[in-house]
């Protein structure tokens, strides 16, 4: 098959056949289709969209591009968790030890940074010595010993998503419902947990900017999961400002450890508690008991202790003092007195990427120390000059003045306090 003809069909709006999708996905995982052709196809799908049938073909072909781990057969209670991607979204690093400490095994097939969002795999890379589980045997060993594993797409599992994910990151082809559904659900189904908790982000820092887009994405994800026999609990959650107060790899690991220690950012803590309680509800606990158990694990130190066990099992050092630190910090002050009326979370995410916390080209080295600390949240009253954010600089040379000006512009200051937005906007599937 001449792959140029397949790209042309999608470019011109035709529906892809099973053979077309197979050629695309096989070409991605085997390396037989060139990167520029894969990227052209991704852009064509991004612009033209894909039908429900094409999306299902993509999910299945990408799932079957590597091994099926069938985790649910060996660990029927295991729960998987995934976010559609946001800014300051450090939930997975808290969720895994927290839920494991409550006795429910956690499967984490995580991703690297995507577009303006920072990914769990990059954050884990900031922990000295941390290695994601490289094989099914290693992952299952971690699961049996410490109740959780972190793994990545690889040549063994979900290789098509591994390739396409890296290309989407640097070709502005992330915000596409069919591509997001195929990426997330192919690797969830390849790992094969029987329960899945989904956090579908909505707002300025998400790939879905409107509630309608987020609902369509959530329904598509739940539909694919339930169609494959997976119990799915999904929440649509607010991403109209960064979730936590830190963006960047090492910084987000510190933020996670703070929450696990019983303190930390209130919004990050609240959402993680909600998602963790859903995981426990799927394992049969009533909602009030689930919430109480999660709160207890944060308060009595068992979640933090479990974090140490999980990190050590993956070869890492859980001592936060050993995380990379920024070389220099630049405060960004409020231009005037007023209320923070809105935060352009995507703009802050791109600033973090520009500082080095993400990739601009395939193969870029992520600067683990770089990031942005968010010091004012929507609704806060601020005085002129008060820090809205602090840029944390690593090794990458950057135009500090431009970055600081862009960061200041990401905060809209107004005379009136805006109405408070709920953190959990809607629940679908098993969480409804
Ligand atoms: N997470 C993924 O794994 N893939 C996407 O496309 C978006 C979020």
């Amino acid at each position: 098959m001449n792959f140029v003809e397949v790209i042309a069909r999608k470019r011109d709006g035709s529906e892809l056949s099973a053979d077309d999708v197979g050629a695309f996905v096989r070409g991605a995982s085997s390396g037989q289709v060139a990167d520029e052709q894969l990227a052209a196809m991704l852009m064509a799908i991004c612009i033209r969209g894909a039908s429900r049938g094409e999306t299902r073909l993509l999910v299945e072909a990408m799932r079957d591009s590597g091994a099926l781990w069938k985790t649910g057969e060996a660990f029927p209670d295991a729960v998987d968790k995934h976010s559609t991607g946001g800014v300051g979204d450090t939930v997975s690093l808290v969720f895994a030890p927290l839920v494991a400490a409550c006795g429910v095994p956690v499967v984490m097939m995580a991703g690297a940074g995507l577009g303006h969002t920072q990914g769990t795999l990059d954050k884990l890379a900031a922990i000295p010595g941390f290695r994601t589980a490289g094989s099914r045997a290693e992952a299952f060993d971690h699961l049996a010993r410490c109740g959780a594993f972190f793994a990545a797409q690889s040549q063994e599992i979900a290789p098509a998503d591994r390739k396409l994910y890296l290309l989407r990151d640097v070709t502005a082809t992330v915000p596409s419902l069919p591509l997001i559904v195929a990426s997330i659900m192919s690797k969830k189904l390849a790992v094969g947990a029987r329960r899945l908790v989904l956090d579908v982000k909505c707002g300025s820092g998400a790939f879905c900017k409107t509630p309608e887009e987020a609902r369509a994405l959530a329904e598509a994800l739940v539909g694919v999961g339930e169609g494959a026999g997976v119990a799915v609990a999904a929440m649509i959650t607010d991403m109209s400002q960064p979730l936590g107060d830190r963006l960047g790899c090492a910084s987000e690991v510190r933020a996670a450890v703070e929450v696990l220690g019983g303190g930390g950012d209130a919004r990050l803590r609240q959402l993680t508690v909600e998602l963790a309680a859903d995981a426990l509800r799927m394992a049969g606990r009533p909602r009030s008991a689930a919430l109480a158990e999660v709160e207890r694990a944060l308060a009595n130190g068992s979640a933090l202790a479990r974090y140490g066990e999980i990190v050590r099992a993956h070869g890492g050092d859980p001592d936060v003092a050993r995380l990379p630190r920024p070389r220099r910090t630049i405060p960004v002050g409020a231009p005037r007195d007023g209320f923070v009326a809105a935060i352009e979370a995507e703009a802050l995410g791109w600033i973090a990427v520009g500082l080095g916390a993400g990739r601009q080209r395939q193969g870029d080295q992520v600067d683990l120390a770089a990031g942005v600390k968010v010091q004012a949240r929507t609704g806060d009253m601020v005085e002129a000059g008060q820090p809205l954010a602090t840029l944390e600089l690593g090794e990458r040379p950057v135009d500090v003045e431009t970055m600081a000006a862009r960061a200041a512009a990401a905060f809209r200051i107004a005379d009136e306090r805006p109405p408070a937005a709920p953190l959990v906007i809607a629940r679908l599937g098993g969480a409804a």
Side-chain angles (χ1 to χ4, degrees):
M1 179 185 292
N2 177 357
F3 196 68
V4 178
E5 290 176 35
V6 184
I7 302 170
R9 273 200 282 284
K10 191 70 216 170
R11 179 200 63 201
D12 296 341
S14 299
E15 177 125 359
L16 296 174
S17 67
D19 284 349
D20 293 339
V21 170
F24 174 46
V25 171
R26 264 194 318 281
S29 49
S30 67
Q32 278 168 358
V33 171
D35 284 6
E36 59 272 20
Q37 294 182 319
L38 295 173
M41 180 59 122
L42 288 169
M43 188 57 88
I45 295 175
C46 210
I47 292 171
R48 285 291 186 178
S51 69
R52 201 175 285 190
E54 286 172 298
T55 307
R56 189 178 44 74
L57 288 171
L58 271 172
V59 171
E60 289 172 1
M62 289 170 66
R63 174 198 65 194
D64 296 339
S65 66
L68 302 181
W69 282 4
K70 301 185 179 168
T71 306
E73 286 180 10
F75 300 89
D77 292 341
V79 64
D80 198 344
K81 179 259 162 199
H82 210 84
S83 157
T84 57
V87 175
D89 178 5
T90 318
V91 169
S92 293
L93 296 185
V94 186
F95 178 97
L98 177 55
V99 172
C102 296
V104 176
V106 180
V107 170
M108 278 282 173
M109 173 59 67
L114 205 48
H116 65 279
T117 70
Q118 283 72 52
T120 301
L121 292 179
D122 294 329
K123 297 168 202 175
L124 292 171
I127 301 174
F130 196 101
R131 278 180 294 99
T132 50
S135 65
R136 179 178 189 261
E138 199 180 356
F140 281 20
D141 186 54
H142 293 338
L143 205 48
R145 285 198 297 130
C146 61
F149 72 74
F150 285 92
Q153 315 100 311
S154 65
Q155 268 319 104
E156 175 178 325
I157 185 162
D161 183 53
R162 177 170 178 241
K163 179 70 197 173
L164 297 176
Y165 194 100
L166 292 173
L167 280 177
R168 287 169 65 217
D169 181 34
V170 294
T171 54
T173 51
V174 180
S176 152
L177 186 148
L179 292 179
I180 295 175
V181 171
S183 167
I184 293 178
M185 293 313 297
S186 62
K187 54 187 177 274
K188 301 291 111 179
L189 298 181
V191 171
R194 291 185 180 155
R195 297 173 185 154
L196 173 62
V197 173
L198 284 175
D199 180 6
V200 180
K201 302 287 191 195
C202 171
S204 65
F207 299 117
C208 294
K209 305 295 183 201
T210 66
E212 294 72 28
E213 285 170 351
R215 178 162 286 275
L217 177 58
E219 285 176 355
L221 290 164
V222 171
V224 171
E226 290 183 345
V230 178
V232 187
M235 285 185 202
I236 300 175
T237 69
D238 180 49
M239 185 35 70
S240 65
Q241 58 173 317
L243 174 62
D245 62 354
R246 250 70 59 83
L247 283 64
C249 301
S251 207
E252 290 194 46
V253 174
R254 272 189 214 96
V257 170
E258 286 167 16
V259 174
L260 286 164
D265 181 80
R267 285 165 50 83
L268 173 60
R269 184 185 199 285
Q270 185 193 336
L271 184 57
T272 311
V273 164
E274 291 284 348
L275 292 162
D278 266 357
L280 267 59
R281 279 208 301 142
M282 293 180 108
R285 270 72 139 188
R287 181 171 160 77
S288 59
L291 277 171
E293 198 172 339
V294 168
E295 291 288 357
R296 214 165 29 246
L298 289 173
N300 68 14
S302 57
L304 184 59
R306 187 60 70 105
Y307 170 79
E309 288 167 33
I310 294 169
V311 169
R312 276 189 287 271
H314 289 75
D317 182 343
D319 182 357
V320 285
R322 296 212 43 223
L323 291 167
R325 291 205 165 271
R327 192 172 45 81
R328 193 175 149 209
T329 56
I330 310 285
V332 176
R336 67 173 182 98
D337 293 357
F339 292 93
V340 178
I343 303 178
E344 271 303 322
E346 178 170 343
L348 287 181
W350 283 121
I351 291 165
V353 171
L355 297 178
R359 298 171 185 79
Q360 295 174 356
R361 279 172 293 274
Q362 261 199 99
D364 270 359
Q365 200 67 28
V366 170
D367 191 326
L368 301 170
V372 178
K373 183 167 185 184
V374 180
Q375 287 155 292
R377 314 305 292 260
T378 308
D380 284 358
M381 191 167 72
V382 291
E383 290 178 7
Q386 181 182 329
L388 298 170
T390 296
L391 306 184
E392 300 183 325
L393 308 189
E395 297 303 322
R396 187 179 289 182
V398 289
D399 176 348
V400 172
E401 272 179 29
T402 306
M403 286 294 188
R406 283 176 58 195
F411 291 79
R412 190 159 63 76
I413 311 294
D415 295 329
E416 305 285 328
R417 193 192 292 273
L423 190 49
V424 177
I425 299 168
R427 293 169 187 267
L428 286 86

